[in-house]
Amino acid sequence: MNQTRWIRRAAISGVLAIPLLTAGCGLFSQETSSIDPPQGVLAEEEGLSDAPTISTVLDDADDMQGDLSQITVYLQDGNGYLAPVSIASKLDKSEAAGQRALELLVDGGTYSSQIPDGFRAMLPQGTVINQFKVDAEKKLAQVDLSQQFVSYNPQDERPMVEAITWTLTAIPGIEKVELSVDGQRLTEMPEEGYPLDQDLTRAIGINLETGNGVSISQSTPVTLYFSSTTADNEQYYVPVTRLISSTSTPAQAAIEELIAGPLDGDQLTAVVTPDYQVKSVETKDDIVTVDLEDSSYEAGQPVPEELLLAVILSATENTGASQVQIRLNGDTNIVDEFNNSYSEPVSRPHHVNAIKA
């Protein structure tokens, strides 16, 4: 996407759309390989140890098979942020995961009982998914919605577009989305005019924010993962696309911004303490190596799981790599508080935020 186009999107919709960083990057998007969880995560199932499973990350590589499927949908939390939520939903083998995901996004719809308390589905009540199909060659999801889709509050326009786009591109084989209403292709959203004349991708960003003193026309987008909690004190991750001053090293800048913490400190929580510094971030052979330093860290000391997973999510989001090798003070022999080992490269999870409904 060139500079002219994203300036145009800013003028039309009031919020900047993000230029594409790397082909195929984006959390849970186009990857089809099996998940490689931290060592010990699935140990309880395999009888290898008593290590607990990670509560907020689902690591079932076969989760799209059988009667009960894990489907990731992007819902709005009580603070107005979109967050991925993994929902266990009964899905017949003949049903498309994308169709069910869209149905889960309908406010007050058939599957509203599966939406966790404190979260909101973004599509207007009464919206019907007339048709969902995927052009496998183009990796394009074509979605036809009923007329109720265009009856919404203007402030919901961009979150609706982001929720649909990020939800569908969470499904392997889908990278782009095309929207229509009652068979008529939409070229823009009707209230605020968000442009739809080109296929939607994760390049639009999510939960957009602009760093302090940053000029939009001379900026680089990075997507970061911070933390929030439900009313029941369940932790979950929230992705935020932040515009920062233009840089030639966006992957390293992303981890530095992750350490800097959220701009909205009242609603989101930092997952990495300011004691950490980024020595380097390098990508090779689909593995991104994040080299961190912390003068207070002692070898063998457990590192918070929340920190490690936020680094993994942020690093893969901004590089397109599928695995992350974390080093801390040059050491890869890292374990979290549940004794899960991160000594080998760890794959990004297909699903996060398994919040109870």
Side-chain angles (χ1 to χ4, degrees):
M1 184 180 297
N2 59 33
Q3 189 89 332
T4 301
R5 176 158 177 77
W6 44 291
I7 295 286
R8 175 187 171 232
R9 283 182 180 259
I12 291 176
S13 64
V15 188
L16 181 70
I18 301 303
L20 186 62
L21 277 175
T22 53
C25 73
L27 180 61
F28 331 128
S29 53
Q30 300 82 21
E31 296 166 23
T32 58
S33 60
S34 297
I35 298 172
D36 179 18
Q39 295 177 20
V41 171
L42 299 182
E44 185 175 351
E45 293 181 352
E46 296 168 358
L48 300 179
S49 78
D50 295 326
T53 58
I54 293 176
S55 61
T56 56
V57 179
L58 302 181
D59 291 294
D60 183 0
D62 298 318
D63 56 13
M64 297 307 292
Q65 304 297 322
D67 292 334
L68 198 62
S69 298
Q70 295 295 339
I71 298 175
T72 294
V73 293
Y74 282 74
L75 305 173
Q76 191 176 65
D77 68 10
N79 299 317
Y81 288 99
L82 291 175
V85 176
S86 181
I87 295 176
S89 190
K90 225 170 202 184
L91 190 67
D92 294 337
K93 290 186 180 295
S94 60
E95 290 184 272
Q99 174 88 20
R100 176 59 58 83
L102 291 168
E103 291 168 347
L104 284 162
L105 285 180
V106 178
D107 186 24
T110 304
Y111 303 101
S112 60
S113 63
Q114 297 181 32
I115 303 300
D117 290 342
F119 288 83
R120 175 191 171 207
M122 290 307 302
L123 300 193
Q125 287 190 11
T127 300
V128 175
I129 317 304
N130 293 332
Q131 186 178 56
F132 170 81
K133 61 181 181 179
V134 177
D135 185 325
E137 185 176 347
K138 295 181 179 179
K139 298 184 178 181
L140 171 67
Q142 296 171 305
V143 180
D144 187 56
L145 304 162
S146 66
Q147 193 65 35
Q148 290 90 336
F149 172 69
V150 293
S151 298
Y152 57 88
N153 293 323
Q155 65 267 26
D156 288 336
E157 183 170 283
R158 185 175 182 107
M160 284 169 54
V161 174
E162 290 179 3
I164 293 171
T165 303
W166 283 66
T167 293
L168 291 181
T169 55
I171 299 170
I174 298 177
E175 297 180 5
K176 299 177 289 185
V177 179
E178 174 188 291
L179 299 180
S180 62
V181 170
D182 289 339
Q184 186 69 37
R185 170 77 186 268
L186 288 177
T187 58
E188 66 178 23
M189 293 292 285
E191 292 291 338
E192 297 293 315
Y194 187 89
L196 303 172
D197 52 330
Q198 291 191 11
D199 297 332
L200 296 164
T201 71
R202 290 196 169 203
I204 66 174
I206 189 167
N207 298 322
L208 295 176
E209 63 182 23
T210 304
N212 297 325
V214 174
S215 169
I216 289 177
S217 62
Q218 299 178 11
S219 63
T220 297
V222 292
T223 298
L224 319 167
Y225 283 80
F226 297 116
S227 181
S228 190
T229 55
T230 68
D232 294 329
N233 207 35
E234 285 189 79
Q235 182 268 340
Y236 62 96
Y237 295 95
V238 177
V240 173
T241 299
R242 179 179 298 174
L243 297 179
I244 62 173
S245 297
S246 183
T247 175
S248 60
T249 57
Q252 179 162 334
I255 305 303
E256 291 169 347
E257 291 293 321
L258 184 68
I259 294 171
L263 298 183
D264 185 355
D266 292 333
Q267 309 297 345
L268 300 176
T269 304
V271 288
V272 185
T273 65
D275 300 333
Y276 283 80
Q277 294 183 330
V278 183
K279 185 175 180 182
S280 66
V281 177
E282 300 177 350
T283 304
K284 182 180 180 181
D285 298 331
D286 202 33
I287 298 174
V288 56
T289 299
V290 179
D291 202 342
L292 302 172
E293 292 185 338
D294 179 8
S295 59
S296 64
Y297 173 75
E298 297 180 4
Q301 177 182 346
V303 178
E305 170 207 81
E306 188 179 21
L307 181 156
L308 294 166
L309 289 175
V311 169
I312 291 166
L313 295 174
S314 300
T316 52
E317 190 72 62
N318 292 281
T319 62
S322 63
Q323 292 186 308
V324 180
Q325 175 71 74
I326 299 176
R327 291 178 181 162
L328 186 51
N329 295 347
D331 187 9
T332 60
N333 188 25
I334 299 170
V335 295
D336 64 20
E337 67 267 41
F338 302 114
N339 204 35
N340 295 311
S341 174
Y342 295 75
S343 61
E344 299 294 328
V346 177
S347 295
R348 61 193 290 167
H350 281 289
H351 302 282
V352 296
N353 298 339
I355 301 169
K356 297 175 184 178

